[in-house]
Structure formats: structure tokens, C-alpha cells
Amino acid sequence: MTSLLAGLAFGLSLIVAIGAQNAFVLRVGLTRRQVLPVVAVCAISDLALIGAGVAGLGVLVDRHPAVLTVARIAGAAFLTGYAVLAIRRAVRPAALSVEDTGVARPPRLAGTVGTALALTWLNPHVYLDTVVLLGSVAAGYGELRWWFGAGAMLGSLLWFTALGYGARLLTPLFARPRAWRVLDGVIAAVMLAIAAGLLLGLRG
């Protein structure tokens, strides 16, 4: 039980932060469209990554930095493109509301799921956090490492479910177009900042 709680606390400490993935889940939760698929994709992806880290894949990733280099470049390109879309939504206030969030038609499921997958798997930080860092900490628990990993997995499930379905509690705030503009502006800034960080990391 102690190992499980330790994993839960450590997992939440890594995931509860403003980032590209969390910003996307928040926005989807606010629109109340395709929340379940997005939450499921993010949570299942985290479970797979945490499991890989606990199993020892972090050592392999650490020995082949080229994998993270490719992920940095691809991730930066994708995040920049998504930031541009967020900026476009922010400058179209007439279309912004809880019911219509800046698009003429509801987004397609494939596109939404694809975005969630890209924001997860093209982010090299997720490998460093879950596979390398969490895997290293889990290894310190020896035979109890899978209990530690289970706690971290539980943290991911709880967080993405709370973020995706709890976002609707903010609906009264986002009944105003200005709130959507601010949200998309923040999302664009976060995406661009992370993209810049990824590219600058290539020079380090």
C-alpha cells in the first residue's frame, strides 16, 4: 500500500502541470465533445508508457538519444501548427461560445483522437517523465516496483478523468466569448513555449 501511494503521489506530481496535453484535454472537456475518447487515449497512453518505464525500457531510451531527437523535431512542428490554429480561434470572437467553439462543424472523431495521440506520443518530455524518470524511481522499489507503477497509473486515470469531465464546471465562465479567447491565447502560448523548448534542447 505504501508503494502504491508513493507511485500515486509521484505520478500526479509529474502530470499535474500546464502542458500541451492537459491544455487540449481541458478544451475538449469544455466543449463536451468527444471527451471519453480523448480521456481514454491519454490515460491508456500513459498506462503504456508507465508500464514500459517500470519494465525497464527507460534504459534503452537513455542509450539511444536519437529517438528523443526525432521526437523533439516532430513534436515542435506539430505544436507550432496547433498553436497557429489556437491563435486563429482566438481572433474569431464571433464564433466563440460553449456550444460553438470556433468551428463551423463539430470536429471529427479521427481528427480529435489523432491530435490527442500526437500531443502524447510526439512529446519527448513524456518519455523522460514516465519511461526514464518514473521507471528509475520505480526500480528503487525492487519487487514492489509494479505496485509503485500501479499507483502512478491510477494517478493518470484519476487526473485525465477529472480534467476532462470536471472542465464542465467552468462552463459558466466560458459562456463569455472573451474567456474562450483568453483560453486559446494561453493554449497557443503554451504550445509555442514548449515547441521552442524542444528545439532549444537540440542545441544543448
Side-chain angles (χ1 to χ4, degrees):
M1 182 60 71
T2 301
S3 299
L4 182 73
L5 293 176
L8 174 63
F10 189 78
L12 287 174
S13 71
L14 292 177
I15 198 172
V16 181
I18 297 176
Q21 186 187 50
N22 284 341
F24 179 71
V25 176
L26 175 62
R27 196 175 203 285
V28 169
L30 285 167
T31 64
R32 302 186 186 184
R33 290 171 178 165
Q34 302 165 350
V35 179
L36 179 59
V38 169
V39 169
V41 164
C42 293
I44 293 173
S45 296
D46 247 26
L47 298 188
L49 289 165
I50 292 171
V54 176
L57 190 58
V59 177
L60 179 63
V61 174
D62 202 33
R63 291 178 180 175
H64 295 81
V67 174
L68 291 179
T69 298
V70 173
R72 282 179 182 274
I73 296 173
F78 180 83
L79 289 171
T80 300
Y82 193 86
V84 171
L85 293 178
I87 293 172
R88 289 181 60 187
R89 289 195 304 264
V91 298
R92 295 175 56 194
L96 295 175
S97 68
V98 174
E99 291 74 25
D100 182 0
T101 57
V103 289
R105 303 176 217 176
R108 292 185 177 180
L109 177 60
T112 302
V113 170
T115 299
L117 287 170
L119 289 174
T120 300
W121 293 93
L122 290 181
N123 178 10
H125 292 299
V126 76
Y127 298 100
L128 294 174
D129 287 346
T130 57
V131 178
V132 179
L133 180 56
L134 192 146
S136 298
V137 174
Y141 283 79
E143 296 181 355
L144 297 175
R145 66 184 183 280
W146 284 107
W147 282 104
F148 181 90
M153 293 178 183
L154 177 61
S156 291
L157 288 172
L158 293 175
W159 171 252
F160 286 119
T161 301
L163 186 62
Y165 288 98
R168 64 186 59 191
L169 298 176
L170 299 175
T171 298
L173 173 64
F174 285 90
R176 292 174 290 181
R178 177 174 176 146
W180 283 103
R181 297 185 69 175
V182 171
L183 175 65
D184 280 317
V186 171
I187 289 175
V190 169
M191 302 288 184
L192 290 175
I194 296 175
L198 293 178
L199 294 177
L200 290 174
L202 294 174
R203 302 171 56 184

